[in-house]
Amino acid sequence: MQDNFGRTIDYLRISVTDRCNFRCTYCMPEQQTFLPRTELLDYTEIALIAARFIKHGIRKIRLTGGEPLARRDVDVLIQELGRHVQSGALDELTLTTNGSRLALFAPILKESGVRRINVSLDSLVPARFNAVTRGGDLGQVLDGIAAAKRSGLAIRINMVALKGVNDDEILPMAEYCATNGFDLALIETMPLGDGVSGRTGQFIPLDKFIEPLRKTGAITPLNHRTAGPARYFCVESIGLRLGLITPMTHNFCGDCNRLRLTSDGKVHMCLGSDFHVDFRDA
Ligand code: SAM
Ligand code: SF4
């Protein structure tokens, strides 16, 4: 598939649910209203849409949310989509998770053909993690990450850069990732989502966020690419692969290769636009 700007579209992000067991301050308000369950696509519908998109050239699928591992029986969907990896029709099936249910799901992910996952982790300080996620248990997430590592999944930690919240944690987080053999992706906070306030004050450009890391030695660009918008670097002092996702300071729309399927069946080209096509009705 090619769009009107000549961009090849081969990546589909599927939001399995809009619900989440966390309420990260930059993502959702504390009192979030979710879609009625009857409006969600069921797993058969998601699998059907995915199969059709694969026929049209989608090579990578990422499950996301909300929290994808929080939807009941999601292993059924993961196993179904995993068949396309096993048949070679899909290059990659992956997911982004908050990690809270990873201890349970890591072996299932691995068996279903998932090779790498992204886990969101904004702080290694328990009280701070609990405050940012409004209730998350850091120990549970770290246990989940350890289980994923034991299962042989490659892991990238996603850390949203938040001024005054975690901008003193870049060094410990980099060290934690390097020691465990994980990649680390830093994300600039984006003004997305309804009812979330205070983000403008928490915005910090990644150039500034990684200053303490620069002081440890060279950060050299790598050719490594994943399906997403991260630019990768090597932090030589600790041998860390570092991804920078900079929607605000380095726009990456020209390289966009993705479609997004919402949990109620709408296909969007862009998170920044409301334009969509409703596949549930179809
Ligand atoms: N619940 C899963 C998780 O947290 O990983 C998957 C869904 S979450 C919406 C996907 C990613 O978006 C996470 O890495 C999260 O940190 C990031 N994210 C959410 N709101 C954001 C915002 N306003 N700016 C930047 N990144 C954001
Ligand atoms: Fe949930 Fe992920 Fe949003 Fe946090 S970032 S509230 S874990 S969907």
Side-chain angles (χ1 to χ4, degrees), residues 55 59 88 113 118 121-123 132 189 199 224 233-234 258:
K55 278 198 180 156
R59 301 294 308 176
N118 293 351
L121 183 65
D122 299 324
S123 174
V132 172
T189 179
R199 273 184 313 217
H224 177 74
F233 299 83
C234 177
R258 63 189 54 187

Side-chain angles (χ1 to χ4, degrees), residues 170-171 174 210-217 219 235 238 240 242:
I170 177 63
L171 289 180
I210 64 168
E211 261 172 23
L213 213 44
R214 275 193 208 290
K215 289 188 184 139
T216 69
I219 299 184
V235 181
I238 50 176
L240 171 74
L242 177 73

Side-chain angles (χ1 to χ4, degrees), residues 32-265:
Q32 176 74 311
T33 344
F34 297 107
L35 291 165
R37 285 202 169 80
T38 49
E39 288 194 17
L40 299 188
L41 296 181
D42 63 31
Y43 292 147
T44 312
E45 291 167 326
I46 295 177
L48 175 66
I49 293 176
R52 295 288 163 88
F53 270 120
I54 291 168
K55 278 198 180 156
H56 284 283
I58 289 295
R59 301 294 308 176
K60 291 179 185 165
I61 290 184
R62 176 177 297 278
L63 302 181
T64 179
E67 173 49 38
L69 299 183
R71 183 159 170 188
R72 188 179 302 175
D73 300 330
V74 70
D75 45 309
V76 172
L77 178 67
I78 294 168
Q79 281 159 355
E80 178 62 31
L81 296 178
R83 284 176 217 263
H84 298 290
V85 180
Q86 278 134 19
S87 75
L90 202 59
D91 294 334
E92 183 162 46
L93 173 65
T94 181
L95 92 164
T96 304
T97 172
N98 65 25
S100 60
R101 304 199 71 205
L102 253 185
L104 185 65
F105 280 98
I108 297 168
L109 292 170
K110 183 67 183 170
E111 281 159 23
S112 306
V114 174
R115 290 186 292 266
R116 61 186 185 106
I117 57 171
N118 293 351
V119 186
S120 299
L121 183 65
D122 299 324
S123 174
L124 290 168
V125 180
R128 206 181 261 186
F129 181 83
N130 182 271
V132 172
T133 55
R134 295 202 190 91
D137 176 350
L138 177 66
Q140 190 182 41
V141 171
L142 295 181
D143 286 350
I145 294 171
K149 184 181 170 186
R150 279 196 304 278
S151 296
L153 293 165
I155 296 167
R156 187 184 88 181
I157 299 296
N158 281 354
M159 178 189 199
V160 177
L162 300 163
K163 187 166 78 182
V165 177
N166 63 3
D167 48 353
D168 57 350
E169 282 198 63
I170 177 63
L171 289 180
M173 187 65 85
E175 198 66 53
Y176 163 76
C177 291
T179 309
N180 281 288
F182 307 153
D183 290 349
L184 172 63
L186 303 174
I187 309 176
E188 281 177 345
T189 179
M190 290 179 272
L192 298 171
D194 297 325
V196 182
S197 58
R199 273 184 313 217
T200 322
Q202 289 184 340
F203 176 76
I204 171 167
L206 290 189
D207 279 348
K208 174 116 184 91
F209 194 77
I210 64 168
E211 261 172 23
L213 213 44
R214 275 193 208 290
K215 289 188 184 139
T216 69
I219 299 184
T220 46
L222 295 172
N223 283 329
H224 177 74
R225 288 293 308 213
T226 55
R231 296 173 291 131
Y232 282 93
F233 299 83
C234 177
V235 181
E236 306 280 354
S237 57
I238 50 176
L240 171 74
R241 188 156 63 191
L242 177 73
L244 301 183
I245 303 177
T246 51
M248 307 308 280
T249 55
H250 294 91
N251 172 297
F252 44 62
C253 300
D255 296 330
C256 188
N257 58 350
R258 63 189 54 187
L259 291 170
R260 299 161 189 281
L261 176 65
T262 64
S263 52
D264 60 346

